[in-house]
């Protein structure tokens, strides 16, 4: 396998129109057909499709432009350069740490490539509860299939690393199915550093696929540029005000801002940032829905030590999963959860582990022998799982309040029990639930007793997330959604939202392919409405 050329470096040398950051300053006024806020999963697909039909597109990205020449597999560089709030974004009470991308390509640049279509049960629920009649599995299948071809989403044929294979072996011994995860990669080197940016351009993120395609067709990209607010009047957006920011996100004082005027405006900054932009813009919100029902797939973690070396930092990061515990109850019953095996890297490992001092030092000494499982809790389907709410701090930055109530924490307890049982079945020497009051347990019986008694409270139970959904939900009725089923804002006719914030609940699976598929459908419709021409993602 050969190292693929850096399409960003090559494109810049050919004269791509990239402004901001280390490039030339953007002008104070820009006219275009469509401006897209964000450059992640929703934005990238949208940009490629709109430029395909000849529309003049401007992409506004708050983060920096980095590419494979900058990706050196170093946590010390990646988190500060590529993530929101240096990979330390937290909910209002600090009980949940949220990983979100903040760079060209958004979270697709730093995710672990796991690709799942939206589960049938989720689509059925949306159809029944939110009137989304055209999103059943049969209707969505062609949109997913196009994306899968475009982004090389397919089976991972290499053997799983030991970290993932322990999930497979442990589940098998308990009679639990644990199939392989599809990945969006091409000529992957199996390095395991996906979360720090792919140094070989194997990951088919927006950074190396759709954004370059749009730039080749003349799109303009503004980097290190924050979309501050929309100006709107009588049900239409009339302008977007932007300000330059430094690589760390601070406003670049003394540099002029930019006003962008377009025929149509697309919000694709991701859940949390998209609702925040509309809140800063004082967008119409007659039913009080904006920023509400924001979901996270709250994640709890179980670590375990094994006699053999696990070396969870090596090899493809997530290749095995089980949905056994999603299917154990009805979708609107007790909270179900998906199990996966995350990669282990020193900084994330040390900052996620509970404890301190000697006890943590002892755990860190076992790093090479440590295995981890995570459980994605499927939120948003039960009355006691309303998710969180995005609000604004005094400086206009977003803040997510996400209460971890008893319903959520019941799911967390059951998930920790399930993961511990699988780890012991796989031969764990000891299991360490990531909980401030837990300790290493040497037997399944001992762990089960302890986990049934541990207080499941915020800040005691370590909770993280890398999946943010909702806050601008789509629905067939404006009383239940911020946007219509076609992605158009209910009250602002020339504004669309095309990202994960439109989902009415969580997905119940890693959401990137869901965002890609829905963006394909919505952006194709938008391109047709604006030009009379229908693009095809290829």
């Amino acid at each position: 396998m050969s190292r693929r050329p850096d399409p960003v470096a090559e494109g810049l040398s050919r004269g791509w129109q990239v402004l901001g950051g280390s490039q030339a300053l953007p002008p104070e006024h820009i006219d275009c057909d469509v401006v897209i806020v964000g450059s992640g999963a929703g934005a990238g697909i949208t940009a490629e499709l709109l430029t395909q039909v000849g529309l003049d597109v401007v992409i506004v990205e708050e983060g920096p432009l980095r590419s494979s020449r900058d990706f050196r597999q170093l946590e010390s560089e990646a988190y500060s350069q590529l993530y929101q709030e240096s990979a330390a974004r937290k909910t209002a009470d600090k009980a949940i740490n949220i990983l979100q991308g903040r760079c060209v390509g958004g979270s697709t640049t730093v995710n672990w490539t796991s690709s799942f279509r939206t589960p049938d049960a989720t689509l059925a629920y949306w159809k029944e509860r939110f009137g989304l009649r055209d999103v059943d599995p049969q209707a969505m299948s062609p949109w997913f299939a196009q994306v899968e071809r475009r982004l090389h989403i397919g089976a991972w044929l290499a053997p799983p690393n030991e970290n993932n294979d322990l999930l497979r072996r442990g589940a098998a011994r308990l009679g639990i199915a644990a199939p392989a995860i599809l990945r969006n990669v091409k000529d992957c080197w199996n390095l395991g550093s996906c979360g720090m940016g792919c140094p070989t351009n194997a990951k088919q993120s927006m950074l190396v696929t759709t954004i370059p395609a749009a730039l080749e067709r003349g799109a303009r990209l503004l980097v290190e540029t924050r979309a501050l607010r929309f100006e709107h009047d009588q049900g239409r957006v009339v302008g977007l005000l932007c300000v330059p920011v430094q690589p760390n996100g601070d406003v670049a004082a003394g540099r002029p801002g930019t006003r962008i005027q377009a025929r149509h405006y697309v919000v694709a900054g991701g859940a949390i940032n998209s609702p925040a932009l509309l809140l800063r813009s004082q967008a119409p919100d007659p039913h009080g829905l904006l920023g509400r029902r924001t979901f996270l797939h709250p994640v709890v973690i179980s670590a375990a030590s094994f006699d053999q070396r696990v070396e969870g930092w090596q090899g493809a990061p997530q290749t095995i999963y089980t949905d056994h515990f999603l299917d154990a109850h009805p979708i609107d019953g007790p909270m179900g959860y998906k199990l996966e095996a995350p990669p282990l890297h020193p900084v994330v490992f040390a900052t996620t582990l509970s404890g301190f001092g000697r006890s943590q030092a002892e755990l860190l000494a076992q790093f090479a022998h440590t295995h981890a499982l995570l459980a994605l809790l499927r939120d948003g389907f039960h009355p006691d799982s309303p998710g969180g709410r995005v609000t604004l701090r005094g400086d206009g930055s977003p803040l997510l309040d996400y209460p971890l109530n008893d319903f959520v924490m019941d799911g967390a307890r059951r998930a920790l029990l399930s993961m511990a049982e699988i780890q012991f079945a796989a031969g764990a020497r000891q299991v360490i639930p990531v909980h401030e009051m837990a300790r290493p347990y040497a037997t399944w019986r001992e762990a089960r007793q302890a986990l049934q008694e541990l207080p499941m409270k915020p800040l005691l139970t370590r909770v993280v997330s890398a999946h943010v959904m909702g806050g601008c939900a789509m629905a067939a009725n404006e009383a239940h959604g911020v946007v219509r089923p076609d992605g158009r804002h209910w009250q602002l006719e020339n504004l669309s939202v095309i990202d994960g914030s439109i989902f009415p609940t969580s997905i119940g699976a890693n959401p990137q392919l869901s965002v890609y598929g829905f963006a394909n459908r919505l952006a194709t419709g938008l391109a047709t409405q604006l030009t009379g021409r229908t693009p095809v993602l290829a």
Side-chain angles (χ1 to χ4, degrees):
M1 291 180 290
S2 60
R3 186 185 183 96
R4 296 171 62 83
D6 184 339
V8 173
E10 292 184 346
L12 289 171
S13 70
R14 288 196 302 272
W16 280 356
Q17 298 185 72
V18 179
L19 302 170
S22 61
Q23 310 296 318
L25 285 174
E28 294 186 31
H29 184 88
I30 295 175
D31 289 305
C32 61
D33 292 322
V34 181
V35 58
I36 302 171
V37 178
S39 64
I45 297 290
T46 301
E48 177 167 354
L49 290 168
L50 296 187
T51 55
Q52 191 182 118
V53 296
L55 289 166
D56 179 17
V57 171
V58 172
I59 305 163
V60 179
E61 170 56 53
E62 179 178 310
L65 175 60
R66 298 286 186 267
S67 64
S68 56
R69 57 186 172 176
D70 305 301
F71 301 152
R72 302 194 301 160
Q73 300 177 274
L74 295 174
E75 291 178 281
S76 58
E77 296 176 353
Y79 301 148
S80 60
Q81 293 181 13
L82 306 177
Y83 284 80
Q84 293 283 351
E85 301 176 37
S86 298
R89 172 169 272 184
K90 290 179 170 56
T91 50
D93 62 358
K94 308 295 190 291
I96 308 176
N97 193 78
I98 303 169
L99 297 178
Q100 277 187 298
R102 182 182 170 275
C103 56
V104 174
S107 293
T108 74
T109 298
V110 295
N111 70 21
W112 300 336
T113 78
S114 301
S115 302
F116 297 89
R117 291 189 181 190
T118 313
D120 291 357
T122 299
L123 294 176
Y125 187 90
W126 292 356
K127 182 176 182 178
E128 176 187 353
R129 302 296 178 91
F130 296 91
L132 301 176
R133 299 176 182 174
D134 298 325
V135 301
D136 59 77
Q138 183 176 359
M140 287 301 302
S141 183
W143 302 109
F144 288 132
Q146 285 182 0
V147 168
E148 289 160 352
R149 287 192 297 270
R150 173 69 177 93
L151 302 178
H152 294 271
I153 294 173
W156 178 242
L157 300 179
N161 65 7
E162 180 69 358
N163 196 47
N164 279 271
D165 203 51
L166 285 168
L167 167 57
R168 184 192 63 80
R169 301 199 306 261
R173 287 168 185 160
L174 297 174
I176 294 172
I181 299 175
L182 303 183
R183 306 183 66 221
N184 62 312
V185 295
K186 183 179 181 181
D187 299 328
C188 177
W189 287 24
N190 204 20
L191 297 175
S193 59
C194 304
M196 292 170 258
C198 180
T200 68
N201 296 307
K203 180 177 11 178
Q204 300 297 283
S205 68
M206 301 299 93
L207 177 66
V208 300
T209 56
T210 59
I211 297 297
L215 291 171
E216 285 293 320
R217 297 192 185 104
R220 287 167 279 178
L221 171 63
L222 276 56
V223 300
E224 295 177 41
T225 302
R226 177 175 298 144
L228 189 61
R229 67 178 182 275
F230 292 111
E231 299 173 325
H232 52 91
D233 182 54
Q234 297 182 0
R236 290 186 62 83
V237 178
V238 297
L240 172 64
L241 301 181
C242 302
V243 295
V245 296
Q246 301 176 46
N248 67 358
D250 291 343
V251 174
R255 297 172 63 180
T258 300
R259 184 179 186 273
I260 304 174
Q261 190 168 348
R263 290 171 55 197
H264 199 87
Y265 301 79
V266 175
V267 180
I272 295 183
N273 289 338
S274 288
L277 172 57
L278 295 176
L279 287 167
R280 286 196 301 270
S281 306
Q282 298 182 354
D285 184 25
H287 304 286
L289 301 173
L290 180 58
R292 295 183 182 272
R293 291 187 61 80
T294 301
F295 301 104
L296 290 176
H297 286 155
V299 168
V300 291
I301 305 165
S302 183
S305 62
F306 285 78
D307 290 329
Q308 74 272 26
R309 292 174 67 88
V310 177
E311 299 181 351
W313 62 86
Q314 293 194 18
Q318 264 181 189
T319 56
I320 300 294
Y321 76 101
T322 179
D323 279 348
H324 176 81
F325 304 99
L326 277 182
D327 302 329
H329 302 285
I331 194 169
D332 56 356
M335 190 172 279
Y337 42 91
K338 185 186 203 79
L339 300 188
E340 297 171 341
L344 297 176
H345 295 284
V347 173
V348 166
F349 180 71
T351 55
T352 303
L353 276 181
S354 55
F356 57 91
R358 177 178 295 179
S359 64
Q360 191 181 64
E362 291 171 351
L363 294 176
L364 293 172
Q366 292 297 310
F367 180 51
H369 294 261
T370 300
H371 168 259
L373 288 178
L374 59 76
L376 304 173
L377 299 172
R378 181 175 57 189
D379 50 346
F381 295 87
H382 188 277
D384 291 332
S385 180
R389 180 186 180 188
V390 175
T391 60
L392 299 177
R393 298 184 179 93
D395 63 357
S397 62
L399 180 66
L400 174 62
D401 182 21
Y402 190 106
L404 290 170
N405 61 22
D406 290 344
F407 180 81
V408 176
M409 300 312 278
D410 170 71
R413 187 190 303 276
R414 288 183 285 106
L416 289 171
L417 284 162
S418 299
M419 291 187 287
E421 185 175 16
I422 288 173
Q423 288 170 320
F424 279 117
R429 183 174 59 208
Q430 59 182 12
V431 168
I432 310 101
V434 183
H435 185 291
E436 290 296 332
M437 296 179 66
R439 58 178 179 80
Y441 304 111
T443 67
W444 164 228
R445 179 178 179 180
E446 181 186 23
R448 180 174 55 194
Q449 181 66 32
L451 284 167
Q452 288 170 342
E453 296 174 356
L454 283 175
M456 302 300 291
K457 300 293 183 183
L459 300 174
L460 288 179
T461 308
R462 187 62 58 89
V463 181
V464 300
S465 180
H467 303 160
V468 188
M469 301 147 284
C472 298
M474 60 180 171
N477 185 306
E478 68 174 277
H480 297 100
V482 174
V483 300
R484 305 183 325 203
D486 64 357
R488 296 265 190 142
H489 193 277
W490 274 106
Q491 287 79 36
L492 297 171
E493 61 181 87
N494 63 335
L495 183 143
S496 297
V497 181
I498 305 180
D499 63 13
S501 70
I502 66 173
F503 297 147
T505 65
S506 77
I507 295 295
N510 308 61
Q512 76 157 345
L513 180 50
S514 291
V515 179
Y516 290 146
F518 275 87
N520 187 18
R521 174 176 174 268
L522 299 182
T524 298
L526 178 61
T528 305
Q529 292 166 9
L530 293 178
T531 68
R533 299 171 57 193
T534 300
V536 177
L537 195 67

